[in-house]
Amino acid sequence: MTTQTLAFNDGCLDLIDQTRLPAELVTLRCENVDQTFDAIQRLVVRGAPAIGIAAAYGVCLARQPDGTRSRQSYLDAIEYLAKSRPTAVNLFWALDRMKAIVDSVGDDDTLPERLLCEATTIHDEDRQMCRDIGRHGAELLGDCHRVLTHCNAGGLATSMWGTALAPIYHLHEAGHAIEVFADETRPLLQGARLTAWELAQAGVPVTVLTDSMSGSLLKTGQIDAVIVGADRIAANGDAANKIGTYPLAVLARYHRVPFYVAAPSSTFDPALASGDSIPIEQRGRDEVANPHGVKLVPDAANVINPAFDVTPADLITAIITERGIVMQPSREKLASLLGW
């Protein structure tokens, strides 16, 4: 069983501080909206589904300056939290659901209870999503024994099994021998720090490689499939995921290895025609130039640090959702499955 990434206890949001892994397992408690915003922005909590859940609970922490609750304080919290990360569409999807509750209830005394109920529902739905993606993805990975992944799309990115790792956990629980090769995922090392940590905790064999090694590994023929998550998927199936995913998809295509994307329906953005319109978050210089306080880049050198890249749909063998699998994804196929 994976570690519980987040929980709402005693009127506060408790998060595993993923910036501290794997050195130490520490829980950060958020007691207000500002602390929740900071936790999302600093990647204390990360992964599109987990960000959405955390933001929903964050709305429940809204207060006026005098400590009272009001409809306006919740609306202000929703607007504020929407600015924490720009790419993960689950954030906006969850906040839209919370806003719909505010709009429908108004200043009624039951509003806090209704909002917490909605946030809890989002959380519960995420757990079921993980199970369903695991079940569907296992159909594609059932004959695989060595799988390559990038970044972290496991339990730490959701509330249970994750998306890309959900089929791995499903097969592992069923007794299927499967090994994961995890890209290090520079510059923040989510693969090395997080994916390797949670898989090791669950007893799943895992091997870490630097991002630049993946092509050579694929060339050996040892990898049966590549599976990754996504932070936003456009209507045509173009998928934004952690930087480094796109070149991995190109390498997988060249070496004739299937490339799968696993994501819930809440990650799709049918309003965007293609991946060209997906906003790509640009993060700070220090993540590349001074990671963990160690200076690696001279001051005179410029740094670029996009958090995500976009993989075109024609490089994706299949997209796995909680509602089923779409082979060779297209706008028409996705619309049919997801009911747009």
Side-chain angles (χ1 to χ4, degrees):
M1 187 65 179
T2 55
T3 304
Q4 185 168 274
T5 305
L6 72 173
F8 198 79
N9 299 310
D10 302 322
C12 298
L13 174 60
D14 292 327
L15 305 167
I16 289 179
D17 188 344
Q18 298 187 37
T19 67
R20 308 281 287 275
L21 291 172
E24 53 183 344
L25 179 57
V26 176
T27 298
L28 176 71
R29 170 155 285 199
C30 298
E31 299 178 349
N32 56 55
V33 177
D34 286 336
Q35 291 172 343
T36 306
F37 181 100
D38 180 67
I40 294 171
Q41 192 168 65
R42 286 197 301 111
L43 309 184
V44 169
V45 59
R46 27 105 4 240
I51 289 172
I53 300 166
Y57 282 130
V59 173
C60 299
L61 301 176
R63 299 286 191 278
Q64 295 279 59
D66 62 1
T68 61
R69 300 172 176 179
S70 72
R71 180 176 182 275
Q72 190 57 49
S73 66
Y74 292 123
L75 291 174
D76 290 344
I78 290 167
E79 182 179 359
Y80 178 54
L81 288 166
K83 299 174 182 177
S84 57
R85 297 287 303 275
T87 301
V89 74
N90 304 64
L91 170 67
F92 310 104
W93 167 83
L95 291 175
D96 284 345
R97 286 181 58 167
M98 299 300 280
K99 186 175 185 301
I101 297 297
V102 177
D103 291 342
S104 66
V105 177
D107 282 315
D108 192 284
D109 289 341
T110 65
L111 183 54
E113 180 183 345
R114 291 280 303 276
L115 285 169
L116 181 57
C117 181
E118 184 68 8
T120 303
T121 298
I122 291 170
H123 198 170
D124 290 341
E125 289 174 356
D126 185 78
R127 295 188 185 96
Q128 186 60 49
M129 173 276 293
C130 291
R131 296 186 186 93
D132 292 340
I133 286 182
R135 175 169 49 86
H136 291 306
E139 298 174 15
L140 294 177
L141 299 183
D143 293 327
C144 297
H145 295 284
R146 299 176 204 85
V147 177
L148 176 63
T149 191
H150 187 75
C151 195
N152 174 262
L156 288 169
T158 62
S159 58
M160 188 185 154
W161 278 355
T163 54
L165 295 190
I168 308 296
Y169 287 123
H170 182 100
L171 290 166
H172 178 70
E173 282 202 347
H176 180 81
I178 192 161
E179 180 180 1
V180 176
F181 288 79
D183 273 350
E184 184 182 40
T185 319
R186 294 182 177 180
L188 293 178
L189 307 178
Q190 293 97 328
R193 294 190 304 105
L194 306 180
T195 294
W197 180 83
E198 71 165 80
L199 287 172
Q201 292 286 312
V204 178
V206 58
T207 300
V208 174
L209 60 150
T210 68
D211 295 1
S212 58
M213 296 177 185
S214 56
S216 296
L217 181 61
L218 288 164
K219 185 179 180 181
T220 67
Q222 296 181 62
I223 299 300
D224 301 314
V226 178
I227 185 167
V228 300
D231 284 76
R232 188 180 299 212
I233 302 176
N236 69 342
D238 293 349
N241 193 49
K242 186 55 58 186
I243 190 74
T245 302
Y246 167 60
L248 186 58
V250 173
L251 288 164
R253 172 60 58 86
Y254 182 83
H255 293 290
R256 297 182 174 85
V257 175
F259 184 90
Y260 301 127
V261 172
S265 54
S266 56
T267 298
F268 291 81
D269 190 347
L272 298 185
S274 74
D276 294 338
S277 301
I278 295 176
I280 300 299
E281 178 183 2
Q282 301 294 323
R283 293 188 62 82
R285 170 192 172 86
D286 280 352
E287 290 180 352
V288 174
N290 300 286
H292 306 288
V294 178
K295 187 172 184 177
L296 299 180
V297 178
D299 292 338
N302 296 322
V303 166
I304 60 171
N305 188 18
F308 305 94
D309 55 26
V310 177
T311 299
D314 61 9
L315 292 178
I316 299 172
T317 308
I319 296 178
I320 307 160
T321 79
E322 79 277 21
R323 302 185 190 182
I325 298 169
V326 177
M327 304 298 296
Q328 286 79 50
S330 66
R331 181 190 310 274
E332 293 73 25
K333 292 179 181 178
L334 291 171
S336 177
L337 177 70
L338 300 175
W340 299 337

